[in-house]
Amino acid sequence: MKSALYSTITRLLILLLVFYAVSPFTTAAIADPISQEQLEEIHQLWQASTHALAEVNCSSCHQNQETKALIVKPNQESCRSCHEAEVETFLFGKHGIRLHENLSPLTPAMANIPMKESALEKQINCNTCHDVHAVNTVVAAVDSCLSCHNDPHSLNYKKSQHSKLFLAEGKLPRPSVESVTCATCHLPRQETDDKVFVNHNNTYTLLPRDRMVKEVCMNCHGMEYSYNSIFDDELVETNFDRLPKLHLETIELVRKLEKRRSSQETQD
Ligand code: HEC
Ligand code: HEC
Ligand code: HEC
Ligand code: HEC
Ligand code: HEC
Ligand code: HEC
């Protein structure tokens, strides 16, 4: 099995190399032709990845499964056969919707909210947050976001209790369910009948605003604490660096109603 796997990889490596060596498109279509070193690097990233362990190899993504044609730069369609839910949700959030509409990928240059100067031309696709060859989810959960996002709320995250929980985990292969990363709130894990998947629609928990309360905060905090935090604009801006001070009227009303109802019940 192992040797069969390796021969497939070697074949594809050679195929890729030959492609880059002889292709008239090399310089036209791709700014930097791939060097032997880059290939080695890609191979090493892949070898240490979850994909290598699961026998997902170069050809799983770089070869059209029907025509067997080589795909030099695969897109999200190469992930779909194995990660349908992630691809679908990604395409319906702000990050992915342009691809869904067959437009060029979203870049920070198009944004209204503050973005890092150095990232203005970076395109968003499956490769952006977790390098597709390493498929790293820990880097994807915070550091990748901060390579683009540059608004006060995002920048303040690292000072929060939530961030401390995440940092305390050290080098786990995946963020755990006990910590809170940017992704915990914006790309929440969701349960379907047979598995948990990461909802890649980064607009989902923002609209309506209190969806995040039920989907995320209440896994760890009470309802009142959560509502009073989410609707406190200052607390959102500082990325939840103190206890909530807000006392939402609706919650007061619900409480009064509950009190009245229970006192009526005891009178009956
Ligand atoms: C999980 C799917 C997947 C696997 C497995 C995979 N690749 Fe890729 N690869 C991609 C995607 C997607 C891109 C395009 C990235 C981008 O958008 O620039 C890519 C890009 C590349 C590139 C072009 C890089 C560039 O900058 O133009 C090379 C070369 C490459 N892969 C080689 C390999 C080799 C060799 C292997 C096996 C060791 C491999 N890939 C395994 C998905 C994969
Ligand atoms: C042939 C099937 C297959 C293809 C194609 C594939 N994957 Fe995977 N992927 C897997 C399997 C199997 C796992 C490990 C089990 C799991 O967590 O589902 C995995 C895990 C992952 C993980 C989680 C890694 C971790 O450390 O837990 C990420 C991220 C990922 N894949 C991204 C991608 C992206 C992006 C693409 C397309 C460029 C892609 N995959 C293409 C099968 C595939
Ligand atoms: C905005 C950043 C970002 C982009 C873009 C992105 N991902 Fe992810 N992805 C993440 C993060 C963060 C996690 C881990 C979240 C967690 O574990 O809580 C993740 C996890 C995953 C997993 C593991 C899910 C699981 O349930 O085990 C897969 C598979 C995956 N991504 C595939 C993709 C595919 C396919 C694309 C392109 C359609 C993509 N990702 C684009 C950030 C991103
Ligand atoms: C390549 C740069 C880039 C990366 C990496 C990135 N984003 Fe974004 N993100 C953007 C851009 C551009 C927008 C659109 C902003 C606008 O339209 O003003 C955006 C929008 C958002 C929005 C607002 C969505 C909405 O519907 O208004 C959220 C939330 C968000 N990103 C969270 C994240 C998180 C969490 C991560 C990491 C897991 C991440 N982003 C990674 C560039 C990026
Ligand atoms: C504990 C949950 C939580 C964490 C952690 C978190 N956010 Fe947010 N984020 C929110 C809430 C709540 C809002 C405000 C929603 C609103 O205004 O309707 C928000 C808003 C945003 C927006 C602005 C969307 C817009 O259109 O104005 C971006 C971008 C964003 N977050 C990115 C990030 C990044 C990047 C990180 C990590 C560095 C992060 N967030 C960490 C909860 C969180
Ligand atoms: C995985 C569990 C978890 C999730 C999910 C979570 N938190 Fe927290 N949160 C904690 C822990 C643990 C602390 C630190 C100890 C404490 O204050 O309870 C904390 C602290 C806080 C604090 C106080 C910070 C301080 O400095 O005193 C606020 C406010 C807060 N969270 C709001 C939220 C909101 C709003 C959400 C949802 C958008 C959320 N949290 C999601 C676990 C979580």
Side-chain angles (χ1 to χ4, degrees), residues 186-205:
H186 294 293
L187 311 179
R189 293 180 188 177
Q190 287 187 305
E191 273 178 59
T192 59
D193 293 342
D194 52 343
K195 63 168 196 164
V196 175
F197 80 102
V198 172
N199 181 342
H200 279 62
N201 177 342
N202 67 323
T203 307
Y204 177 76
T205 53

Side-chain angles (χ1 to χ4, degrees), residues 6 87 104 106 219 224 253 256:
Y6 278 98
V87 175
S104 64
L106 178 70
N219 289 329
E224 191 165 350
L253 287 175
K256 274 192 198 135

Side-chain angles (χ1 to χ4, degrees), residues 53-122:
L53 282 175
E55 297 187 2
V56 178
N57 53 40
C58 316
S59 54
S60 311
C61 300
H62 284 281
Q63 202 169 32
N64 182 308
Q65 301 307 319
E66 277 153 33
T67 67
K68 304 291 171 204
L70 176 73
I71 306 170
V72 180
K73 278 215 173 202
N75 63 13
Q76 70 276 359
E77 295 311 315
S78 71
C79 322
R80 196 186 278 276
S81 58
C82 303
H83 302 301
E84 176 82 32
E86 283 80 5
V87 175
E88 275 300 304
T89 49
F90 170 74
L91 290 174
F92 284 101
K94 183 95 169 202
H95 283 154
I97 191 93
R98 287 181 59 89
L99 292 176
H100 178 69
E101 287 167 353
N102 288 323
L103 299 168
S104 64
L106 178 70
T107 66
M110 299 169 187
N112 298 314
I113 55 177
M115 293 282 155
K116 295 258 157 61
E117 215 43 69
S118 55
L120 291 180
E121 302 309 324
K122 226 167 131 180

Side-chain angles (χ1 to χ4, degrees), residues 142 153-160 162-163 166 180-181 239:
V142 175
H153 161 85
S154 299
L155 295 175
N156 284 330
Y157 165 78
K158 290 219 160 160
K159 293 183 235 152
S160 70
H162 290 152
S163 166
F166 179 51
V180 184
T181 68
N239 221 315

Side-chain angles (χ1 to χ4, degrees), residues 206-219:
L206 293 178
L207 292 174
R209 196 180 198 174
D210 60 348
R211 189 180 262 159
M212 203 187 284
V213 167
K214 292 172 217 135
E215 298 272 348
V216 183
C217 318
M218 283 175 63
N219 289 329

Side-chain angles (χ1 to χ4, degrees), residues 136-142 166 169-184 189 198:
N136 188 318
T137 52
V138 173
V139 173
V142 175
F166 179 51
E169 288 184 355
K171 289 208 176 305
L172 294 180
R174 285 290 294 268
S176 86
V177 286
E178 270 117 49
S179 73
V180 184
T181 68
C182 312
T184 311
R189 293 180 188 177
V198 172

Side-chain angles (χ1 to χ4, degrees), residues 256-268:
K256 274 192 198 135
L257 203 73
E258 284 295 323
K259 222 182 210 159
R260 214 181 318 138
R261 214 188 276 147
S262 59
S263 66
Q264 266 169 5
E265 270 166 23
T266 44
Q267 276 164 20
D268 290 344

